[in-house]
Amino acid sequence: MVSRRNIIQGIAFSAFLMTSPLGALAQEALTVGILIPGSKSDKGWMESSYNGLVAAQEKYGDKIKVQMIENISYGDMEQALTQLASGNSMVIGVGGQTQAAVLKIAQRFPDIKFSIVGGNAGVELPNVAGYDVKQAEIAFVAGAAAAMMSKTGTVSYVGGMEIPSIVNAGKEFGNGAKYINPEIKYIESYTGDFDDVAKSKEATLAAIAQGADIHYHILNLGLRGMEQAATEKGTHIIGSYTNYCGTDPLYPAYSITGVGYQVGYTIDQAVAETWVAGYKPFGLAMGAEASDIAVCDPAPGMMEKLDAIMDDIKSGKISVLEG
């Protein structure tokens, strides 16, 4: 069951938007339900999506009304999506982990538009759009940056669930590091859970024990464990999803994966009545808001080399895995 706390939280968020000056409900407002299965303050995917939602609300004001449910278990997704679809004209599922539930519930609500932020191939229903962030592309670039920053010649990656998109991103992080330094040591591990702090800390400490000094991740709240390990041992993390350069010396760089950009994109399309169903890849080809790398204090020539790598990925000169 979706917990009463999260149902109330979703309703409270909606009520705030309705009563705030920016959210005064217009008669013809677009009603948007969004499922953020993790925490909206995870410093990662979920927070980026929430930031995109807030930006859309600020942009459109009374043209949209939003209801949000966050931080629920996988088993509760179908019920949460049913609730959102019952009261909104558009429903957004954040994360590829929502795709199976979205595709199931969308068949029960054929007149509702569904968008999956982090969707992938297999989105074929006439009322579902799947937006692929193409994490493997920017993971390759992050791996190249990690290799240039590493002083030990060892870098590591910790993923959450061992599913194709997360595994492919890890493989390409390693490939990017080896593109710069063929002799670099690459350590890859998975915790089985995007939010397990203890397991991600354990995995990071194990990598540090093998020499890793630069870490990359696809985690949600599990990132806290990586931060704890890196802080204790004096290593560093390439962050994901949003550029927060200058806010934390633990992070010398950030890969930008436009999760929030995609939330804004689908709302833009719905407001403009240009929304279309089907699979849509984003990634580097969609520009810096969709995918980019930010190095906070780059060494001379570093950004030029990373820009060249991104150009080669876009042109196909460098081939990366899907995901």
Side-chain angles (χ1 to χ4, degrees), residues 150-155 185 187 206-215 235:
S150 176
K151 294 180 172 59
T152 64
T154 304
V155 299
K185 183 178 180 181
I187 302 163
I208 293 170
Q210 297 177 69
D213 63 343
I214 303 292
H215 318 291
T235 59

Side-chain angles (χ1 to χ4, degrees), residues 99 103 114 116 119-125 127-131 277-279:
Q99 180 159 315
L103 293 178
F114 289 82
I116 306 165
N120 50 44
V123 176
E124 298 176 350
L125 295 177
N127 62 328
V128 180
Y131 300 149
Y279 170 78

Side-chain angles (χ1 to χ4, degrees), residues 3-321:
S3 72
R4 184 173 182 273
R5 178 182 68 83
N6 285 307
I7 291 174
I8 292 172
Q9 189 269 343
I11 294 172
F13 183 81
S14 178
F16 167 76
L17 293 177
M18 290 171 63
T19 56
S20 68
L22 288 175
L25 179 61
Q27 189 172 5
E28 300 298 326
L30 171 72
T31 53
V32 179
I34 184 167
L35 173 61
I36 298 178
S39 169
K40 65 179 186 292
S41 55
D42 68 351
K43 288 189 177 179
W45 184 291
M46 304 299 163
E47 184 170 320
S48 177
S49 70
Y50 178 72
N51 290 343
L53 178 66
V54 171
Q57 179 60 30
E58 292 175 348
K59 177 178 180 179
Y60 288 113
D62 61 5
K63 292 183 180 179
I64 64 173
K65 173 192 173 185
V66 177
Q67 180 186 8
M68 179 181 73
I69 297 176
E70 71 155 330
N71 208 17
I72 66 168
S73 68
Y74 299 117
D76 290 333
M77 285 184 186
E78 290 183 18
Q79 184 180 349
L81 289 165
T82 299
Q83 177 187 331
L84 293 173
S86 297
N88 297 284
S89 58
M90 164 174 274
V91 175
I92 303 169
V94 174
Q97 64 265 46
T98 69
Q99 180 159 315
V102 167
L103 293 178
K104 182 176 180 179
I105 300 305
Q107 295 178 68
R108 292 173 47 197
F109 295 89
D111 296 328
I112 306 302
K113 299 178 178 69
F114 289 82
S115 294
I116 306 165
V117 172
N120 50 44
V123 176
E124 298 176 350
L125 295 177
N127 62 328
V128 180
Y131 300 149
D132 186 351
V133 298
K134 298 186 78 66
Q135 293 179 102
E137 288 187 346
I138 201 62
F140 186 100
V141 183
M148 286 187 258
M149 291 187 289
S150 176
K151 294 180 172 59
T152 64
T154 304
V155 299
S156 73
Y157 168 83
V158 179
M161 293 179 68
E162 199 168 350
I163 56 179
S165 61
I166 308 304
V167 172
N168 287 353
K171 297 299 182 188
E172 292 302 350
F173 178 76
N175 289 340
K178 291 172 184 177
Y179 184 84
I180 296 297
N181 176 10
E183 303 302 318
I184 201 163
K185 183 178 180 181
Y186 169 55
I187 302 163
E188 178 181 320
S189 60
Y190 300 89
T191 65
D193 189 322
F194 292 111
D195 296 313
D196 194 311
V197 174
K199 287 182 179 179
S200 62
K201 181 176 182 178
E202 180 183 1
T204 306
L205 286 173
I208 293 170
Q210 297 177 69
D213 63 343
I214 303 292
H215 318 291
Y216 191 59
H217 73 93
I218 295 183
L219 298 166
N220 294 333
L221 283 178
L223 175 59
R224 303 290 189 268
M226 179 175 280
E227 290 180 326
Q228 291 169 12
T231 299
E232 290 173 10
K233 300 298 183 179
T235 59
H236 293 88
I237 302 168
I238 296 179
S240 296
Y241 311 115
T242 304
N243 178 4
Y244 290 127
C245 273
T247 64
D248 189 340
L250 189 64
Y251 290 88
Y254 294 87
S255 68
I256 298 166
T257 309
V259 180
Y261 173 75
Q262 291 187 16
V263 171
Y265 177 91
T266 197
I267 292 174
D268 286 344
Q269 297 296 299
V271 169
E273 298 184 351
T274 57
W275 181 94
V276 294
Y279 170 78
K280 181 176 179 60
F282 281 69
L284 292 169
M286 288 290 285
E289 287 186 290
S291 188
D292 201 4
I293 188 81
V295 180
C296 305
D297 186 20
M302 184 176 181
M303 290 311 303
E304 289 79 4
K305 188 173 293 186
L306 292 174
D307 286 341
I309 289 172
M310 289 190 283
D311 287 341
D312 285 346
I313 292 172
K314 286 187 283 187
S315 71
K317 184 177 179 180
I318 294 176
S319 177
V320 301
L321 297 167

